[in-house]
Amino acid sequence: MDVEKLRNLTDAELLHQQQELNDQLFRLKFQLKMGQTESLTKIRGLRKDVARVHTVIREKELGIEVHSNGAQAAATSGEAKAAPKKTAARTSAKKKTKTAVKSKAAKPAKKKTTATAKKRKK
């Protein structure tokens, strides 16, 4: 299914298309479980089509316009909300976790004692 065709559909048509794809996917999964078919490529294709429809619906909700060359532009209406920006706290938290992981990896391994060796034998 072509994404450009999906973007030209109305909201009601998109929901109808989504319902049809979900029904087809259900039937194919059911046939697969019953052993009547082994068409995994059709199932994968339908899953991707469902994802495309979901993406277009979400784009319309957010007011995102995607041009034919793949570039995105936010709609000029006041309804569209900008994506949240990363704050300094978020970025510093990520850096802290990376350094914490590095410091854990640098610790030497514990020495085995006779008590732990006896526990393992049991």
Side-chain angles (χ1 to χ4, degrees):
M1 180 155 305
D2 190 23
V3 179
E4 294 301 320
K5 289 179 184 177
L6 289 175
R7 288 194 179 110
N8 293 330
L9 298 177
T10 64
D11 292 339
E13 291 172 336
L14 279 172
L15 291 175
H16 180 70
Q17 185 71 28
Q18 178 184 2
Q19 187 63 37
E20 283 184 13
L21 290 172
N22 283 332
D23 289 343
Q24 289 178 8
L25 187 59
F26 173 77
R27 281 189 234 112
L28 276 177
K29 283 183 178 180
F30 190 77
Q31 289 176 357
L32 183 68
K33 293 290 182 183
M34 297 299 290
Q36 295 175 354
T37 185
E38 294 189 13
S39 59
L40 292 175
T41 54
K42 286 183 183 179
I43 292 175
R44 288 179 186 149
L46 279 174
R47 288 176 60 201
K48 288 181 181 184
D49 288 341
V50 169
R52 284 186 193 104
V53 171
H54 278 289
T55 301
V56 172
I57 290 171
R58 185 68 177 150
E59 285 173 354
K60 288 189 177 199
E61 285 176 3
L62 296 176
I64 298 173
E65 296 175 8
V66 181
H67 303 290
S68 60
N69 63 359
Q72 292 184 357
T76 57
S77 66
E79 296 175 8
K81 295 181 181 177
K85 294 182 180 180
K86 290 185 179 179
T87 61
R90 281 186 180 173
T91 55
S92 64
K94 287 182 181 179
K95 289 179 183 177
K96 288 179 185 176
T97 56
K98 287 182 180 179
T99 56
V101 170
K102 288 180 183 178
S103 64
K104 287 181 182 178
K107 290 182 180 178
K110 292 183 179 180
K111 293 182 181 179
K112 294 180 181 178
T113 62
T114 55
T116 57
K118 289 180 182 176
K119 288 180 184 177
R120 289 186 184 159
K121 287 182 181 179
K122 291 181 182 179

